[in-house]
Amino acid sequence: MKHVRLGDLEVGRIGLGTMGMSFAYTGAGSDDAESIRTIHRALDLGVTLIDTAEVYGPYTNEELVGRALKDRRDQVVLATKFGMISHTGRRGLDSGPGNVRTAVEGSLRRLGTGHIDLYYQHRVDPGTPIEDTVGALAELVAEGKIRYIGLSEAGPATIRRAHAVHPITALQTEYSLWTRDPEPETLPLLRELGIGLVAYSPLGRGFLTGTISSTEQFGDDDFRKDNPRFTGENFERNLRSAAEVEAVAAEAGATPAQVALAWLLTRGGDVVPIPGTKRVSRLEENTAADTIELTPEQVAKLDGLTPAAGHHHNEAQTRLIGL
């Protein structure tokens, strides 16, 4: 697999998101053995960036990733996140320095490692100045407990303030064919500051793969059940976007998932998608996108994809984005 850089951090240009192995999606936590095989196969195929978070489960996903990497830690750029869980008794988000220190120790223990390569603030905490949070993270860098600092879903002003305290290596945010929010303001800022972009949900939570025809496919605990793009008339309208991706895929001799990922790879060498899956077969399909070369005409068709109907997060999640 080709390699790219997130700031000073070198990674394979397609990563692996592990959330769905333990949390939020239909079938999560039902086959840890297959999930571990998927992580091992990812490493065999040249994937280096493995992404988790303490809130996934909570905690069980980090434990799963730790088991999978027990004998292969040196092959991985390991990323996790803090801040959605308070260990200090606060309600809601907590990125206070005390919580940062407690959270990192728990993640190190569950992951079975002496250091975390990329440690993200999961969401911006309005109750803690970003300077205080990044200051605490900078101390962890100096102590060798983390190597690089990341933010997730932070707004431009917060990114600037954070980067002024200590270099930020990556911003994780949702970016895909039907979620273009980073393009007008955030992506240019990241490039100005030398910060990479890690794109989560690069396949539109599965919608852009062409495999979802009805919400009846989802279990009751699947968080897509209340996602605006998967409900009511929005779902029916969004099938049109999926069909347009399928048409380009047929022309390119690839799958819709591969085309959606290949399009993201045309956005620049500082954009790294982390498609999530718990199955080896899907992983192999996704990583093969590294070999897909879209024509300028195909890229133009994808650039003009029918915009998604509905917001990409529900109301509660949206309130935590862009602070």
Side-chain angles (χ1 to χ4, degrees), residues 54 59 62 80-83 85-89 94-110 116 119 136-137 139-140 143 145:
E54 66 170 0
Y59 309 127
E62 285 188 328
T80 191
K81 313 176 197 73
F82 70 91
I85 297 172
S86 178
H87 304 282
T88 67
D94 189 350
S95 288
N99 195 60
V100 172
R101 287 204 162 266
T102 303
V104 76
E105 294 299 337
S107 290
L108 288 168
R109 183 179 65 254
R110 288 184 292 273
I116 293 162
Y119 199 41
L137 292 169
E139 291 176 1
L140 296 179
E143 294 167 18
K145 292 183 177 180

Side-chain angles (χ1 to χ4, degrees), residues 78-312:
L78 183 55
T80 191
K81 313 176 197 73
F82 70 91
M84 297 284 277
I85 297 172
S86 178
H87 304 282
T88 67
R90 278 177 54 179
R91 291 187 61 184
L93 300 174
D94 189 350
S95 288
N99 195 60
V100 172
R101 287 204 162 266
T102 303
V104 76
E105 294 299 337
S107 290
L108 288 168
R109 183 179 65 254
R110 288 184 292 273
L111 291 164
T113 185
H115 72 277
I116 293 162
D117 296 301
L118 179 56
Y119 199 41
Y120 292 100
Q121 180 191 44
H122 207 152
R123 292 291 185 272
V124 175
D125 170 14
T128 303
I130 193 65
E131 291 82 359
D132 292 354
T133 300
V134 176
L137 292 169
E139 291 176 1
L140 296 179
V141 172
E143 294 167 18
K145 292 183 177 180
I146 66 176
R147 293 178 61 215
Y148 296 95
I149 297 171
L151 302 175
S152 181
E153 293 291 17
T158 297
I159 295 168
R160 281 194 183 277
R161 289 168 54 199
H163 194 69
V165 176
H166 186 282
I168 302 301
T169 293
L171 175 77
Q172 186 169 143
T173 190
E174 185 168 349
Y175 188 27
S176 71
L177 273 170
W178 71 345
T179 302
R180 312 276 182 91
D181 301 35
E183 290 180 343
E185 188 174 3
T186 301
L187 196 48
L189 173 63
L190 298 181
R191 286 173 174 160
E192 174 192 332
L193 300 177
I195 300 171
L197 189 153
V198 174
Y200 76 83
S201 294
L203 301 176
R205 298 179 176 84
F207 208 111
L208 297 174
T209 66
T211 61
I212 297 172
S213 57
S214 168
T215 54
E216 296 301 314
Q217 296 171 240
F218 304 150
D220 290 339
D221 58 347
D222 195 306
F223 82 132
R224 290 172 291 186
K225 283 277 192 179
D226 71 346
N227 184 287
R229 292 187 176 175
F230 288 83
T231 56
E233 292 182 359
N234 287 346
F235 182 90
E236 297 303 321
R237 285 201 289 266
N238 287 332
L239 289 173
R240 180 174 171 184
S241 299
E244 291 170 8
V245 177
E246 285 188 71
V248 174
E251 183 181 307
T255 69
Q258 290 168 344
V259 163
L261 292 169
W263 177 85
L264 266 175
L265 297 178
T266 70
R267 301 297 93 180
D270 51 359
V271 175
V272 176
I274 50 168
T277 183
K278 55 184 180 290
R279 298 185 182 91
V280 170
S281 59
R282 289 294 183 197
L283 170 88
E284 292 174 340
E285 176 186 353
N286 292 341
T287 54
D290 184 49
T291 66
I292 303 297
E293 296 290 340
L294 299 172
T295 67
E297 293 76 19
Q298 289 163 348
V299 172
K301 288 178 183 177
L302 295 167
D303 286 343
L305 191 76
T306 298
H311 199 268
H312 55 104

